[in-house]
Amino acid sequence: MRKICHLLLRSQRLRSCLPIMLLLHAAASAAGAQTASALIGDDRPRISGPLSLQDAVTMTLDGNLTIQAMQFEADAAHRETTAAEAMKRPQLSANTYLATGSMSNILSSAPGVSPSGWMFVPGRSFADQNLMLMVPLYTGGRLGNLVKAASGREGAAQADVGGARADAVYLVREFYYRALVAAEMVKTAEARADAATAMLDVAQVQFEAGKGIQASVARAAAELADAKRMLATARNDRLKILLDLRRVMGVAPDSDITLLDTLAFTPSEGSLQADLAEAAQIRPELVAARARRESAAAETAAARGARRPQIYGAAMADAFAPRDMNRNTGGTVGVTMSFPLFDSGERGAEIGKKEALERRNDAELKDLELRVATEVRQAWLDLNTAEENYRAARSALDSMQAAYDVIVVRVENQKSILVEQLDALAALTAARENLSRALFEHSIARARLDRAIGRY
């Protein structure tokens, strides 16, 4: 761009080139602004204020770009079904023939226009306006099965939308829970920093009163510094997870949101067998696989139907010039019947291909059914393990908190040394982190079970 402007400035035709320069500069600026806007996220909705998990899910279902792309694909599949259904209904075309020559010939209508027609033109100047109507009367099930095949593909595409929605809901729940556990980690780091601050104050007071040593003050100061480092890292992790949450929701990256919900333990309900039965019915991937299998079966039936007679009703109306036998208008009504007799095995090969694809879809469906059942069972195992880990972490934290409270009193009364309080604080901090992680693992295990079943 700079080289072009430099050359234009050196040209003697500067004035004539100025409009070109301005146009190039405006185009480059517009392209750069558009790219920058997309990278910054200005083209996405910006939200602010408190955000519950349910609100996050609702916004994700409305604004997630992957869901929108899958919905557009489903819309295209619906149009394909509509086009297939149109093949079963009457079709009308208008054809104009203009010809001149020294001999009679036959002209066909333009390619891509249905129904197509042909016109015998005489060996002189000739003009004809034709209307042609065709109605399928019997196609051996070919057209009906083509509609079923297209409808099956549409059903599969709609089920794929459900799969995309389930994926997006799982992701937004995961990142929401990760943001919550990151917030808990920030609280844990803040509690450690507060405890380290109090510990340093006690050590400093005892040292100044001649009841402690300088090493205890230094050790407490080191603990406070490490606690501040842990706090800064925890805050950074939380901010990055919030960025992922906004991306999955499809909102602007700089949206100012505050999470309303908290990590909470909710005992599991239901049973494994009930969840397996539900997954077999509603899991989007299974629904899509069954629709594709039905579509493949319909395509096989349509290929077989092509071997049967094809019967269409036809009606034509013409207005032509010059006059022929004292008439310049006319019409014809008739029935066309076509019987495939010999095609060197083309239709048989096509049927064999469709049957092979149908068997492939059957195998894929059976494999998917096994995989879904395995995922549900694994999700149940994870959920049960998460519940046990939560109870253990809860008990450990209660014990560590009680032990730390006792150690603090003993250190303040010089019944214990600072190292014991440091060890107790480290154990308490680890117990708090373990409880937060246990709550997260339990929450994400429930979300994983819902995804395995197909709920969203």
Side-chain angles (χ1 to χ4, degrees):
M1 178 66 188
R2 291 181 178 178
K3 291 183 178 180
I4 294 175
C5 293
H6 181 69
L7 291 174
L8 291 174
L9 287 171
R10 291 172 61 93
S11 173
Q12 295 180 355
R13 295 176 294 175
L14 177 59
R15 293 184 179 180
S16 62
C17 291
L18 279 175
I20 300 176
M21 294 169 58
L22 294 174
L23 181 61
L24 290 173
H25 178 71
S29 300
Q34 184 177 5
T35 303
S37 176
L39 290 176
I40 294 173
D42 290 342
D43 58 335
R44 304 305 302 159
R46 183 173 284 97
I47 62 174
S48 62
L51 180 71
S52 67
L53 176 57
Q54 185 57 49
D55 290 338
V57 169
T58 301
M59 291 180 184
T60 299
L61 293 176
D62 290 338
N64 185 269
L65 298 178
T66 301
I67 296 176
Q68 293 178 14
M70 296 299 294
Q71 187 59 61
F72 291 140
E73 186 171 344
D75 293 342
H78 174 69
R79 298 298 181 182
E80 181 185 359
T81 303
T82 303
E85 290 173 342
M87 295 173 61
K88 297 175 62 178
R89 295 191 286 266
Q91 296 188 359
L92 178 68
S93 66
N95 306 286
T96 301
Y97 301 94
L98 302 174
T100 183
S102 58
M103 61 177 290
S104 301
N105 217 321
I106 297 176
L107 295 180
S108 67
S109 58
V113 177
S114 181
S116 59
W118 293 266
M119 174 63 64
F120 177 80
V121 296
R124 60 183 184 276
S125 297
F126 179 83
D128 178 90
Q129 180 61 53
N130 166 270
L131 290 177
M132 186 168 185
L133 174 71
M134 293 199 75
V135 182
L137 302 178
Y138 175 78
T139 62
R142 180 177 62 87
L143 293 183
N145 282 298
L146 287 177
V147 173
K148 290 181 181 179
S151 180
R153 289 190 292 272
E154 180 184 354
Q158 289 291 352
D160 288 338
V161 174
R165 292 166 70 89
D167 283 337
V169 169
Y170 172 76
L171 280 177
V172 76
R173 292 176 68 181
E174 178 185 0
F175 285 122
Y176 196 98
Y177 292 143
R178 288 189 182 278
L180 290 178
V181 75
E184 292 299 321
M185 292 301 180
V186 170
K187 292 179 182 179
T188 298
E190 289 174 343
R192 180 190 176 191
D194 292 341
T197 300
M199 190 185 307
L200 177 60
D201 292 340
V202 171
Q204 186 70 39
V205 170
Q206 291 179 346
F207 173 71
E208 293 175 354
K211 299 178 180 180
I213 59 176
Q214 180 65 35
S216 296
V217 177
R219 183 64 183 83
E223 174 67 16
L224 178 58
D226 191 63
K228 289 181 178 179
R229 177 200 59 78
M230 175 183 173
L231 178 58
T233 301
R235 286 172 175 169
N236 178 65
D237 291 341
R238 176 179 173 274
L239 292 175
K240 290 194 293 185
I241 292 173
L242 286 174
L243 285 173
D244 286 328
L245 176 62
R246 297 185 188 101
R247 174 184 59 80
V248 175
M249 292 172 58
V251 300
D254 59 347
S255 295
D256 184 17
I257 59 177
T258 303
L259 305 187
L260 278 180
D261 294 352
T262 58
L263 290 172
F265 175 75
T266 304
S268 59
E269 299 176 353
S271 66
L272 173 60
Q273 295 304 320
D275 287 345
L276 285 171
E278 185 178 1
Q281 294 295 322
I282 71 170
R283 178 73 180 256
E285 289 83 353
L286 285 176
V287 175
R290 293 188 186 108
R292 291 189 177 95
R293 181 186 61 179
E294 294 173 0
S295 176
E299 288 185 351
T300 302
R304 292 194 182 101
R307 280 183 160 180
R308 302 186 183 101
Q310 308 293 305
I311 304 175
Y312 281 74
M316 290 174 286
D318 289 272
F320 48 87
R323 291 177 178 269
D324 189 6
M325 294 182 297
N326 299 321
R327 296 183 62 86
N328 61 353
T329 59
T332 303
V333 176
V335 175
T336 64
M337 293 178 287
S338 300
F339 301 87
L341 299 178
F342 179 73
D343 59 11
S344 298
E346 178 184 356
R347 288 181 176 83
E350 184 67 17
I351 292 173
K353 171 187 173 183
K354 299 298 183 183
E355 289 175 342
L357 293 176
E358 186 178 352
R359 289 191 293 271
R360 182 200 67 182
N361 285 328
D362 285 336
E364 289 177 347
L365 175 59
K366 292 177 181 178
D367 178 70
L368 184 58
E369 288 174 341
L370 181 59
R371 180 153 54 89
V372 169
T374 301
E375 290 177 2
V376 173
R377 292 177 182 276
Q378 289 175 340
W380 260 93
L381 290 174
D382 290 342
L383 183 59
N384 291 333
T385 302
E387 290 186 0
E388 295 177 4
N389 289 342
Y390 164 77
R391 293 187 178 94
R394 178 79 267 177
S395 177
L397 176 59
D398 293 340
S399 300
M400 290 297 178
Q401 185 66 61
Y404 180 75
D405 292 341
V406 172
I407 291 295
V408 169
V409 174
R410 289 180 60 83
V411 171
E412 290 177 352
N413 290 278
Q414 296 183 321
K415 302 295 184 179
S416 296
I417 60 177
L418 181 66
V419 174
E420 293 182 9
Q421 185 176 357
L422 288 170
D423 291 341
L425 178 59
L428 178 60
T429 300
R432 286 170 175 164
E433 291 179 342
N434 289 338
L435 180 61
S436 297
R437 291 193 181 95
L439 283 170
F440 168 76
E441 292 297 335
H442 181 262
S443 298
I444 203 65
R446 292 177 64 88
R448 194 175 296 116
L449 176 60
D450 288 339
R451 178 62 188 94
I453 295 171
R455 301 173 185 150
Y456 58 89

